[in-house]
Amino acid sequence: MTMTTAPLIGVLALQGASDAHCRMLEQLGARVRNVRRPADLDGLDGLILPGGESTAMLRLMDREGLFEPLRSAVQSLPCLGTCAGTILLAETVEPVQPSFAALPITVTRNAYGRQNDSAILNAQTALDGGPLEMVFIRAPRIDAVGEGVTVLARRGDDPVLVQKGHTLACTFHPELGSDPRVHAYFLAQIGYQ
């Protein structure tokens, strides 16, 4: 089904790279709402869980009463998680911490090293348009994917962009580069092109 009006995408804006996601979505024609309270989830067509520090996000969600409303939202709304957002979506997180368990993947936090081990790589993906720029900053590693999860891109042997149904997750930061294809793919999954 194709949407005739611009979708309204919520971007979790407690901590992390929410502004860059908003700019990318607006460039692609979407409407954007920062999500800071449960009421901000009303009427959304999709949701982005950005990168940042997943443990800090969890503390802020708890303070704002957002954890359970977000857990419910990611079950029903198309969702894109990037870096820390992927950790929040994962079914299993190492070292162990709470998550929404919305995507059958196992992730290890900060698996590629410290801040100074961050990298910008280009790799082939299942998305059209050739190699994709991938910005990795203290990135998690996807160690296992469950049934029904499609791997759309890899870093070596490691999945870095995965999808199951309406849920899309990447261990890198597509919002920090100039290539809009991950966000465009997400919007296309909602029916907006």
Side-chain angles (χ1 to χ4, degrees):
M1 183 172 101
T2 302
M3 296 185 84
T4 56
T5 60
L8 177 60
I9 308 299
V11 179
L12 183 63
L14 297 176
Q15 188 267 344
S18 59
D19 289 346
H21 281 289
C22 292
R23 284 191 299 274
M24 186 77 71
L25 290 165
E26 288 169 343
Q27 285 177 346
L28 293 167
R31 297 175 296 139
V32 178
R33 176 189 298 156
N34 286 320
V35 173
R36 293 186 178 99
R37 293 175 299 283
D40 297 332
L41 294 166
D42 294 344
L44 296 179
D45 297 306
L47 179 65
I48 291 184
L49 303 175
E53 175 52 56
S54 60
T55 54
M57 289 180 183
L58 287 166
R59 281 192 303 274
L60 293 167
M61 279 181 226
D62 187 51
R63 187 178 78 192
E64 299 299 325
L66 253 175
F67 186 85
E68 288 302 327
L70 279 168
R71 185 202 306 251
S72 178
V74 301
Q75 299 299 324
S76 59
L77 284 174
C79 187
L80 167 62
T82 66
C83 199
T86 295
I87 295 169
L88 294 172
L89 289 171
E91 191 171 85
T92 306
V93 179
E94 297 293 338
V96 174
Q97 74 176 37
S99 72
F100 301 135
L103 188 61
I105 60 174
T106 298
V107 298
T108 299
R109 297 168 43 218
N110 301 327
Y112 295 108
R114 297 176 178 265
Q115 189 81 17
N116 61 354
D117 297 313
S118 298
I120 299 174
L121 307 174
N122 289 287
Q124 291 295 331
T125 74
L127 307 182
D128 292 335
L132 178 69
E133 180 183 67
M134 300 177 188
V135 179
F136 292 91
I137 302 171
R138 295 181 61 216
R141 181 181 61 234
I142 298 174
D143 293 317
V145 296
E147 187 175 334
V149 176
T150 302
V151 177
L152 301 174
R154 293 183 181 274
R155 176 180 180 173
D157 292 331
D158 299 334
V160 295
L161 177 61
V162 297
Q163 179 178 13
K164 181 175 183 184
H166 66 263
T167 305
L168 186 66
C170 56
T171 60
F172 56 94
H173 290 267
E175 77 283 3
L176 297 181
S178 58
D179 191 328
R181 283 183 287 160
V182 171
H183 290 80
Y185 182 81
F186 174 62
L187 293 175
Q189 301 309 297
I190 296 171
Y192 184 70
Q193 300 176 28

